[in-house]
């Protein structure tokens, strides 16, 4: 069985910077949109979290046993890049960090909800959704929204990572997400709150977004198939 260090492709004595760099690289490689799989993506996430949480023997490179009763992540807590969580009362982020509450667009049809619902996130909070579909995390000032989601172990869709397609589009329902001038979304879409998570950075203390909106009818012609785009870039 591979150790967490082997999963990330680093030596057991690697420093924090090398581990972080390896993790970000492996997250992109294992992403389901780019030839990876949800299982591999979660394995990379688990390896990184085990290392930063100190659950790995550095000398042996093997993972230590977790305490009995360990539970799955709680979507009602704010998750940081180190794999840890803080409650609403405990979380006192630095001013430049943003609190993001997210919801998977695919859940709307399942529950009969709409992007226009004023209480959309209240409904989501009461619906006992899986962590991949609804939850919260903190975004560091050097992260785009997509990077922050990936660094917390989520496989949000993307293709170009440069604002040239709508695969990573999100709908902002509260707060502000920056958008560079050179992006593909027309003005009527940005006026409706659509943004690109691959190049957008939160500029407000709190942000609520519905991710995975790439299949909205208006975005049909702005999507790219992820793998062919990679090949075109390589050529």
């Amino acid at each position: 069985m591979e150790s967490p260090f082997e999963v990330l492709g680093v030596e057991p004595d690697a420093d924090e910077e090398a581990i972080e760099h390896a993790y970000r690289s492996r997250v992109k490689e294992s992403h389901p949109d780019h030839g990876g799989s949800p299982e591999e993506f979660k394995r990379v996430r688990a390896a990184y979290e085990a290392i930063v949480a100190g659950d790995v023997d550095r000398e042996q490179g093997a993972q230590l046993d977790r305490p009995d009763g360990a539970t799955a992540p709680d979507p009602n807590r704010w998750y940081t890049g180190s794999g840890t969580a803080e409650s609403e009362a405990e979380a006192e982020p630095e001013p430049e960090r943003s609190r993001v509450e997210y919801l998977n667009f695919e859940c709307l049809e399942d529950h009969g909800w709409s992007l226009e619902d004023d209480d959309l996130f209240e409904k989501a909070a009461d619906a006992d959704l899986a962590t991949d579909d609804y939850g919260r995390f903190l975004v560091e000032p050097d992260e785009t929204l997509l990077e922050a989601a990936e660094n917390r172990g989520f496989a949000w869709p993307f293709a170009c990572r440069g604002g040239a397609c709508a695969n990573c589009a999100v709908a902002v329902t509260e707060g502000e997400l920056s958008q560079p001038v050179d992006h593909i979304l027309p003005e009527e879409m940005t006026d409706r709150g659509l943004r690109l998570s691959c190049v957008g950075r939160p500029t407000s203390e709190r942000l609520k977004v519905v991710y995975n909106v790439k299949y909205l009818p208006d975005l049909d012609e702005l999507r790219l198939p992820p793998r062919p785009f990679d090949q075109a870039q390589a050529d």
Side-chain angles (χ1 to χ4, degrees), residues 17-172:
E17 183 177 354
I19 292 171
E20 181 73 19
H21 182 270
Y23 170 66
R24 293 195 181 203
S25 177
R26 290 285 288 118
V27 155
K28 295 174 185 177
E29 294 171 355
S30 62
H31 196 289
D33 279 358
H34 279 239
S37 67
E39 293 75 18
E40 178 65 10
F41 191 92
K42 291 177 181 178
R43 194 166 73 100
V44 170
R45 172 191 181 186
Y48 174 73
E49 290 185 346
I51 293 173
V52 300
D55 292 340
V56 181
D57 186 326
R58 286 269 182 168
E59 293 185 2
Q60 300 296 324
Q63 187 161 347
L64 302 175
D65 292 335
R66 287 185 176 273
D68 292 338
T71 58
D74 179 356
N76 292 317
R77 302 189 76 175
W78 298 97
Y79 284 84
T80 69
S82 62
T84 59
E86 300 170 316
S87 69
E88 180 77 34
E90 295 167 346
E92 291 296 338
E94 300 171 7
E96 64 269 20
R97 296 166 83 186
S98 295
R99 303 181 181 193
V100 174
E101 190 171 358
Y102 63 87
L103 174 63
N104 187 348
F105 182 68
E106 292 183 349
C107 294
L108 273 63
E109 182 176 357
D110 293 340
H111 293 269
W113 302 335
S114 167
L115 282 175
E116 284 69 44
D117 291 345
D118 293 334
D119 58 348
L120 178 60
F121 278 81
E122 286 78 2
K123 293 176 180 176
D126 293 335
D128 193 28
L129 299 174
T131 305
D132 285 346
D133 291 327
Y134 169 76
R136 305 170 179 176
F137 56 76
L138 294 172
V139 181
E140 301 294 340
D142 63 337
E143 294 175 317
T144 65
L145 181 59
L146 177 61
E147 288 172 339
E150 291 176 339
N151 291 341
R152 284 29 163 205
F154 301 112
W156 288 15
F158 74 92
C160 72
R161 302 186 80 93
C165 71
N167 293 50
C168 71
V170 299
V172 177

Side-chain angles (χ1 to χ4, degrees), residues 155-202:
W156 288 15
F158 74 92
C160 72
R161 302 186 80 93
C165 71
N167 293 50
C168 71
V170 299
V172 177
T173 65
E174 182 179 316
E176 297 293 334
L177 185 66
S178 71
Q179 199 75 118
V181 175
D182 52 341
H183 63 80
I184 198 171
L185 295 178
E187 185 176 354
E188 59 268 24
M189 294 186 186
T190 58
D191 287 345
R192 289 165 48 193
L194 297 183
R195 299 288 187 274
L196 301 179
S197 64
C198 73
V199 293
R201 300 175 187 273

